[in-house]
Amino acid sequence: LIAGMVLGSEAFAKRLRQALRGNPREQPAARVLNGRLSWEQIVATLERAKGETWAQFSQAHGDWARDAALWLARKRGRYTLPELGHLAGGMDYSAVGKAVSRFERRLIWDKQLQSELTAVEKQLSNGHA
């Protein structure tokens, strides 16, 4: 049983996911079936995009990548704020929430950030994580 919806092998579920049509925002079942991005996938993709390790950019003041990781994990990985705090190295969940909110607001006006995030999301969607 996969995602509480599909009975079959993992290979079968993968083929089904690839053929899936629907709007995950409007259809929660489609979102569940698409699977959850792992923290490791998100971090690895950002490391490749930045050319730096998580240890380097997660501690750099003003660097967009740490907050992007938190935002992606919250939106695409469906992690809770406390889970993200733990994964990000012991951040308090309220600090994670602030970082996610701040990043989301910045996405509205920062065209360069939108471009960077689009490239990262494309890599994640293509399975190059």
Side-chain angles (χ1 to χ4, degrees), residues 19-93:
L20 182 67
R21 299 288 179 255
N23 182 343
R25 185 173 173 188
E26 300 293 328
Q27 298 165 317
R31 191 170 50 240
V32 170
L33 189 58
N34 275 332
R36 173 178 166 162
L37 284 176
S38 75
W39 176 252
E40 292 78 16
Q41 288 174 301
I42 293 166
V43 169
T45 302
L46 284 165
E47 285 177 334
R48 273 196 307 284
K50 297 277 299 170
E52 300 173 7
T53 66
W54 169 258
Q56 292 171 313
F57 66 74
S58 68
Q59 301 302 315
H61 180 73
D63 194 301
W64 61 270
R66 184 204 66 176
D67 291 350
L70 295 170
W71 186 84
L72 284 164
R74 182 80 169 139
K75 303 297 179 186
R76 302 269 317 272
R78 298 185 308 276
Y79 286 91
T80 66
L81 296 177
E83 285 176 320
L84 289 174
H86 175 73
L87 290 167
M91 289 177 70
D92 182 75
Y93 75 91

Side-chain angles (χ1 to χ4, degrees), residues 92-106:
D92 182 75
Y93 75 91
S94 62
V96 173
K98 284 275 194 198
V100 170
S101 295
R102 189 174 49 245
F103 185 81
E104 198 159 66
R105 282 192 311 273
R106 184 174 167 195

